[in-house]
Amino acid sequence: MKSKLLVLGLSLTCLLGLSACGSSKNTVALEDTKLGKQGLTEEYMLQYAENIEGNFEYFYTMGATKDNFEDLLYTVIVNNSGEESYELYKNSYSSWLDAIDDIGYTSAETLADDIYVDGITYTIDDDTIIVDAVIKGAETVEKPHEAVLEYIMNDDGSVETIAINVKYSKGESMVKAGLNTILGMGMAFFVLIIVSLVISLFPFINKFTEKKDKKPSDKVIAEKAIDNATTQIAEKEELSDDAELVAVISAAIAAYEGTSGTGFQVRSIRKSNKSNWKRA
């Protein structure tokens, strides 16, 4: 274990202060590269990884989260290391937050001693050096995990990416893969169920639409009103054309009844199919 005194400004300055350039292959030894000739050593890369891990611990003890990271640390990081360093830390700190519980620690007070860098490996790829630092957690927790802090250093000494990946056992990886599969399938089935429910409502929607269509439109109502009015007018016209016939029939009925004919009114005249001659 180790003890750490986290001074953010000094740590950030040391972390991002390397300036060098070089180009090499995996088969070339570090000391034979330009970076190696200008002072880059395994000890330096190890210290670099420890500074990164120490800064993440400092952010964590300050209460930094994904949501408040900018409000809490933007000014501090930019003033010490610049805007590019801020974006690098912001993105990589998210992976630290996702990994810290699996790495394992006792408490925030003992975090600096519980989690530590335990050696590095590196590969030289053209103009970059890829460093993998092994991170270990507290042995007192129930299931501590090792993690790999990977950072890529360019030929000018700048750091391109920082990421923390937890190393899970095969059993844990299979469980996680199974859970992801179940979750994915569950979401797919849920969407299919929703689509099926929507499709099952189509007949009811069609019936509702048909009922609306069966209701007479304003045009049909207007046409019926015009037809009724025309029929009434025609009946009145027919009655007025038979005015003379009505007068004769009215006079005949009045004479038969022996009245003046003012006590009744002929409203309509219909032809009878029965013959009075058959009654005789």
Side-chain angles (χ1 to χ4, degrees), residues 235-253:
E235 289 178 354
K236 289 181 180 180
E237 288 179 350
E238 290 176 359
L239 186 61
S240 63
D241 291 341
D242 295 335
E244 294 180 359
L245 179 59
V246 170
V248 173
I249 294 174
S250 298
I253 295 173

Side-chain angles (χ1 to χ4, degrees), residues 181-242:
T181 301
I182 292 173
L183 180 61
M185 293 178 64
M187 289 297 296
F189 278 114
F190 177 76
V191 172
L192 289 175
I193 290 171
I194 296 297
V195 173
S196 299
L197 290 175
V198 173
I199 293 175
S200 65
L201 293 176
F202 283 174
F204 299 100
I205 296 174
N206 292 335
K207 288 182 180 179
F208 181 74
T209 305
E210 289 175 358
K211 287 182 180 179
K212 280 190 172 182
D213 294 340
K214 288 181 179 178
K215 291 182 179 180
S217 62
D218 294 340
K219 183 178 180 180
V220 174
I221 295 173
E223 291 177 351
K224 288 185 177 181
I226 293 173
D227 292 341
N228 292 334
T230 303
T231 302
Q232 292 176 3
I233 294 171
E235 289 178 354
K236 289 181 180 180
E237 288 179 350
E238 290 176 359
L239 186 61
S240 63
D241 291 341
D242 295 335

Side-chain angles (χ1 to χ4, degrees), residues 102-170:
D102 288 334
I103 295 173
Y105 66 99
T106 304
S107 65
E109 290 75 16
T110 61
L111 181 63
D113 292 324
D114 289 343
I115 298 178
Y116 60 98
V117 176
D118 187 40
I120 63 167
T121 58
Y122 64 91
T123 56
I124 302 172
D125 184 12
D126 293 332
D127 295 335
T128 60
I129 295 178
I130 303 171
V131 181
D132 291 333
V134 177
I135 297 180
K136 291 186 176 181
E139 298 178 356
T140 56
V141 299
E142 184 177 354
K143 290 183 179 180
H145 293 81
E146 285 189 3
V148 175
L149 187 156
E150 179 183 273
Y151 67 88
I152 300 176
M153 184 178 293
N154 296 321
D155 60 351
D156 60 354
S158 63
V159 177
E160 183 177 338
T161 60
I162 301 173
I164 294 90
N165 300 304
V166 179
K167 297 169 66 175
Y168 297 103
S169 65
K170 290 184 178 180

Side-chain angles (χ1 to χ4, degrees), residues 19 37 73 80 85 154 163 177 184 235 245 269 272:
S19 60
K37 291 177 180 179
L73 294 166
N80 284 277
S85 298
N154 296 321
E235 289 178 354
L245 179 59
I269 301 172
S272 177

